[in-house]
Amino acid sequence: MNNARVNRIKDVLFKYFGIVCTLSGLIILAIFILNILIDGVQRIDWSFMSSLPSRFPERAGILTAWTGTFWIFCLTAAIAIPIGVGAGVYLEEYSKKGWLANLLEINIANLAGVPSIIYGILGLEVFVRILGFGASLLAGSLTLALLILPIIIVATREAIRAVPKTIKEASFALGATKWQTISRQVLPASASSIITGIILALSRAVGETAPLIVVGALAYVPFVAKTPMDEFTVLPMQIFNWVSRPQHGFTINAAAAIIVLLCFVFLMIGIAVYIRNRAQKKNPW
Amino acid sequence: MKIFAISILAMCAGGLLTSCNGSQQKNNDSELSGAVQVDGSSTVYPITEAVAEEFRVEQPKVKVTIGSSGSGAGFKKFARGETDISDASRAIKAKEVRACKENNIKYLEIRVALDGIAIVVNKNNSWLETITTEELKELWKPNSPVQTWSDIRPEWPSENIQLFGPSTAHGTYDFFTEEIVGESGASRSDYNAVSDYNVAVKGISTNENALGYFGLAYYTENKDQLKLIGVDSGNGAVLPSLKTVGDGTYSPLARPLFIYVNEKSAKRDNVREFVQFYIKNAAQLSKDVGYIPLSDSEYSNTLAKFNAFSIK
């Protein structure tokens, strides 16, 4: 009797603990977004989106910054998703358990913890100089793709591991090959979790500045990139630049640019969630 | 939605019109194209950005790109021949000169503007009006024993001083320690090191016992929250201003800002035109972004020197 009451109290306490945890994250985010909105929202208009940087805050815009971020996002996704998912599938489904698999696993986990600027230094040496891509969108995207690969690989592996073994066995029992089983059963069944991992990874890539500075992202680019070999700037670079200026008008611009970056990330996440929900509906069981 | 569509249409129409105007203008002048690549100091960046902004009106086809990776990182690229122009908030160092020589990079150093380093305290600080360079050295030298105001002058309050300064990655830090302490990079380490000066502005404006140093523009833009301190290097205290920094009386805390131009690049029409435009407009544009212009005679001398340097 007594014991049951204690347990019930614990139960209620934990529920409230959970609520506090959830709210503290949400409230901090809400305060941050509100703060930014108050500072910057009246600054966002079409001319802000379509102008180049300027020494006059009220004339300055983010055209090349947001188009650069869009480019980087698409290229990074195009590079990182196939490689990351492919590596995840291989490690989970094909590679033999042994010291090599263990070594790979430890290394991937370690890579996820390497400071992002280290990837920048690697990207500068390998992509910019040795492979000769220069300080281009391609070099920046490859660097960011490396940065988020560990996250995608780990997410893919976890997702595949969560697929019930019985599904695979049933597929094999019907005479399906390994590839047929993976492509028609395992991947569709794990798609929603894999996409969640990809969303988190890409959102991180879009907000990165340090590795791109090292790779050679510029602060002032007067033209919209047309090919992956063009030089570029991104929204976080422009925000960083404006935040450190003495004139107050640039702080407002920075807030406005942060809103645009947030909207961009939310939009991309929205699209991904939509795709994920459709994938979930298609799930045959 | 409709309004949005209309505004897009209007923007397109506007864009067409301006591009028409542009093409009319082009016929008059000699039209240049190609890329001009600039990288280096984030302190000099606002001037170069302003110059590029204005230069685009004259030569819309020249693609001027500017990075702000810092003086040191800028020189590294410059010495590899990856950039045409390097922005710098300090003169080139001996090892960077060597790196240029190894790669056979010849260059011209051009002073484009001046920047004063301001000593500032809280608005409500009633005791501090001027400070000597000796006292600043006592305050900022490595392992400085100074903790309270009364450690500097006995008549000042015995409250702890809250110090604000740039983090070690800043050119301002190198310059200040070199001029005040006597050795670049030698500083006490128990101060609030900021990487963004607006953080220092906020810190000093909310703390009565704060003292800090940063570029004059950050004081000018926040005058109502801060108090400027005169610096006495032996000839009486001087407050930094457009005039005192410009004529050199605010000493030693005034520094020149530079651009370095690669000789090979300077012989290209687009780079030559850009640098000439830079020198001709540096006075106004550096003032626009918060720095202090050099004297007119220095600009005209520099222009003559550059013209001789860039002859093919």
Side-chain angles (χ1 to χ4, degrees), chain A residues 46 50 52-56 59 125 129 213 216 218-223 231 241 243-248 251, chain B residues 11 37 45-46 49-50 52-54 56 63-68 80 82 196 198 217-218 221 285 288-289:
Chain A
W46 183 250
S50 64
L52 295 172
S54 163
R55 68 184 180 287
F56 302 110
R59 234 191 267 167
E125 218 34 67
R129 297 205 168 128
I213 293 181
L218 299 162
Y220 178 85
V221 181
F223 54 91
E231 290 166 306
N241 181 297
V243 163
S244 61
R245 292 284 193 101
Q247 291 85 0
H248 182 65
T251 317
Chain B
M11 280 322 292
Q37 293 176 305
Y45 171 83
E49 184 195 71
E53 184 190 353
E54 292 304 317
R56 235 175 85 81
K63 291 176 173 179
V64 182
T65 57
I66 315 163
S68 60
R80 285 165 158 264
E82 292 173 358
D196 170 4
N198 289 316
Y218 291 88
E221 295 293 330
L285 294 177
D288 280 353
V289 296

Side-chain angles (χ1 to χ4, degrees), chain B residues 156-198:
Chain B
W156 287 349
S158 55
E159 303 271 346
N160 273 327
I161 309 176
Q162 297 287 324
L163 290 170
F164 287 84
S167 65
T168 55
H170 279 268
T172 311
Y173 172 86
D174 290 339
F175 175 77
F176 182 87
T177 47
E178 167 107 51
E179 293 299 327
I180 293 298
V181 184
E183 187 191 337
S184 176
S187 168
R188 70 190 295 166
S189 50
D190 54 343
Y191 68 100
N192 298 298
V194 300
S195 56
D196 170 4
Y197 296 113
N198 289 316

